[in-house]
Amino acid sequence: MNIGYACLAIAVPASDMKSCVLRNADEARLTALIGHNLDALARLIDYNIQNGIKLFRISSDLVPFGSSLAADLPWPHLFAEKLAAIGKRIADTGMRVSMHPGQYTVLNSPDVSVAARAVQDLQYHARVLAALGLGPGHKLVLHLGGVYGNKKQAMDRFIMNFRELEPAVQNRLVLENDDGLFHIGDVLETAVAAGIPAVFDCLHHAVNPANATDAELDWIRRCASTWRKQDGAQKIHYSQQNGDKKPGAHSESIAIDAFLDFYRQLAELDVDIMLEVKDKNLSALKCINCVSGRGISGRDISILEAEWARYKYSVLEHSPEHYQAIRQLLRDKSPSADPALAMYQMIEAALALPVAAGSAVNAAQHVWGYFKDKASASEKKRFQDLMQKFVSGENSLQNVKNHLLKLGRNYQEDYLLKGYYFYIK
DNA sequence: TGACGTCAAGATCCG
DNA sequence: CGGATCTTGACGTCA
């Protein structure tokens, strides 16, 4: 039972994917971007290993225009060494990765040129996983596609086009329900006919259920039977509704209590859970820490202390009271104490509170403390100006944080750069 | 023809 | 000039 996140990580330095627009794309630029992105991927994989995260989705942006302009570039050969090294790190640590072409990769389109581009795109994604040296348990997640006025024909066309795919793609392909067209009943029927696994997506299901009667868990069990030995453990997608946005929109963070209610239902199953959530690795770590009992032994409380170190200035700017309470919580080093859930509950409660200007100033001053002895006169003046203008309402708190982030980079304050203060509101 | 979703690049504005 | 903020891009379907 692994829990993971998709594509990007917050507060992991130099892990961003770079891209370019089509009109600027030439062989030299694309090759340079691919090299950069592989280095970024290596950092993401290392971060995952260091933090015990064993499930991860690799961004489709790894190779910009990977299914078109870059399709014939010799990147697998040029970067063979980097690819092999990354793949070995993944395999050696038992990490499971996947890729997920988006809503614009439509294998069942009646437009043959659209379907042909979808084939190219699937080949690109499969090529990435193969270049990493990873087996067929590392999956390629796809949606069924469009309906075009006739769902049955659309499903049949998916199966027909699936059968034309090369085995290297077929072996990895898994089918996911979407939030508007194909519910999990459609997906299971199609997946069974094609002989491939089905991925159950909880939020898509909530928005687009197959019927009014069957429970979530019934569908998860049905999907389980589509996963064969060579496919690895069953995968599902889990996300929560963003209350401020339209149905189906992912939440900013995973609310831990609701997640644990869901997770306990899965106790007797062997399921890998991919979280789809804006704060990415932050929620993955939260969920992992709360289900693993990582806080239980004295040795592992260091994991929670590291998390606290990353959250603390964010908590401080929302609520000095919660800041003190969490510090108190972590002082209990008794062997039976498992403060993980309590800590994250308090962090969630704090972050849900509005930021008072006074607390924000206090937190920013704490962070400034890392630089006050080494910052130049102009850096100090800029900090003070930004702070004053924040207090008077002339600029945002984010302007202050961005200046502090820049100082953090210039003075290589790794401790700060790995914290969440600059990145979460 | 715009909305959908996603992220970063590119463009523009500001001091 | 650097930094902040707004707009565009790349994809296909559907109302």
Side-chain angles (χ1 to χ4, degrees), chain A residues 150-296:
Chain A
N150 187 326
K151 198 182 249 192
K152 187 79 192 120
Q153 280 179 11
M155 287 156 67
D156 286 344
R157 203 162 44 245
F158 179 92
I159 294 160
M160 200 173 71
N161 290 349
F162 170 82
R163 291 190 174 134
E164 299 297 317
L165 294 169
E166 57 188 59
V169 174
Q170 287 179 327
N171 294 340
R172 294 195 195 269
L173 209 64
V174 299
L175 202 49
E176 180 196 348
N177 57 316
D178 63 69
D179 63 4
L181 302 175
F182 294 100
H183 56 62
I184 190 62
D186 300 324
V187 161
L188 260 172
E189 185 183 332
T190 310
V192 166
I196 58 175
V199 170
F200 180 81
D201 183 298
C202 296
L203 188 57
H204 292 160
H205 179 71
V207 174
N208 182 26
N211 59 41
T213 52
D214 293 331
E216 202 174 41
L217 203 56
D218 297 327
W219 290 111
I220 293 174
R221 287 210 182 87
R222 278 171 213 155
C223 289
S225 64
T226 62
W227 291 78
R228 302 153 298 186
K229 188 165 178 58
Q230 65 265 33
D231 296 314
Q234 179 183 8
K235 293 187 66 166
I236 64 174
H237 291 174
Y238 179 84
S239 49
Q240 295 171 348
Q241 176 66 44
N242 183 324
D244 299 328
K245 296 189 178 170
K246 60 182 52 184
H250 295 152
S251 65
E252 200 54 44
S253 181
I254 295 293
I256 191 61
D257 289 328
F259 174 79
L260 290 175
D261 286 345
F262 171 76
Y263 182 84
R264 285 189 205 103
Q265 293 186 286
L266 306 175
E268 82 279 18
L269 301 169
D270 182 21
V271 183
D272 280 354
I273 306 172
M274 176 60 71
L275 304 178
E276 294 182 321
V277 59
K278 294 289 180 193
D279 73 358
K280 303 288 182 182
N281 52 318
L282 277 58
S283 279
L285 267 185
K286 183 204 300 194
C287 293
I288 291 168
N289 287 338
C290 287
V291 303
S292 65
R294 277 176 167 187
I296 276 176

Side-chain angles (χ1 to χ4, degrees), chain A residues 250-421:
Chain A
H250 295 152
S251 65
E252 200 54 44
S253 181
I254 295 293
I256 191 61
D257 289 328
F259 174 79
L260 290 175
D261 286 345
F262 171 76
Y263 182 84
R264 285 189 205 103
Q265 293 186 286
L266 306 175
E268 82 279 18
L269 301 169
D270 182 21
V271 183
D272 280 354
I273 306 172
M274 176 60 71
L275 304 178
E276 294 182 321
V277 59
K278 294 289 180 193
D279 73 358
K280 303 288 182 182
N281 52 318
L282 277 58
S283 279
L285 267 185
K286 183 204 300 194
C287 293
I288 291 168
N289 287 338
C290 287
V291 303
S292 65
R294 277 176 167 187
I296 276 176
S297 74
R299 180 176 56 84
D300 282 350
I301 198 158
S302 64
I303 289 171
L304 295 184
E305 286 169 340
E307 269 284 84
W308 171 235
R310 296 185 277 232
Y311 273 109
K312 66 180 181 182
Y313 297 120
S314 293
V315 169
L316 183 60
E317 78 176 358
H318 281 268
S319 169
E321 294 76 19
H322 284 84
Y323 179 88
Q324 291 302 337
I326 296 170
R327 288 182 51 172
Q328 186 61 42
L329 175 77
L330 293 179
R331 280 196 198 109
D332 181 2
K333 300 283 206 303
S334 66
S336 64
D338 180 10
L341 178 57
M343 182 183 85
Y344 284 107
Q345 284 170 332
M346 284 194 248
I347 289 171
E348 285 183 6
L351 298 182
L353 296 170
V355 176
S359 304
V361 168
N362 183 35
Q365 292 288 359
H366 271 72
V367 175
W368 170 252
Y370 287 84
F371 310 111
K372 67 172 196 283
D373 293 335
K374 48 191 167 190
S376 69
S378 69
E379 286 167 341
K380 181 175 182 179
K381 182 176 185 315
R382 177 136 181 83
F383 173 69
Q384 288 171 338
D385 284 354
L386 286 166
M387 283 291 267
Q388 196 181 343
K389 285 183 176 167
F390 163 65
V391 173
S392 65
E394 290 169 79
N395 67 17
S396 72
L397 181 58
Q398 195 59 47
N399 297 141
V400 177
K401 290 190 181 184
N402 287 348
H403 180 57
L404 290 169
L405 173 58
K406 200 179 157 212
L407 294 175
R409 287 185 176 137
N410 289 347
Y411 294 108
Q412 295 176 41
E413 289 288 351
D414 281 1
Y415 178 84
L416 280 180
L417 295 177
K418 289 177 180 174
Y420 306 149
Y421 174 72

Side-chain angles (χ1 to χ4, degrees), chain A residues 19-35:
Chain A
S19 188
C20 69
V21 291
L22 194 49
R23 66 176 179 275
N24 294 330
D26 57 31
E27 183 169 341
R29 188 185 290 237
L30 288 174
T31 303
L33 289 171
I34 296 164

Side-chain angles (χ1 to χ4, degrees), chain A residues 86-117:
Chain A
I86 295 167
K88 186 175 184 335
R89 296 275 284 155
I90 292 170
D92 287 355
T93 56
M95 192 184 306
R96 189 184 197 193
V97 300
S98 62
M99 297 185 82
H100 187 7
Q103 57 179 311
Y104 300 110
T105 301
V106 186
L107 185 62
N108 78 337
S109 177
D111 180 331
V112 291
S113 72
V114 170
R117 279 195 290 277

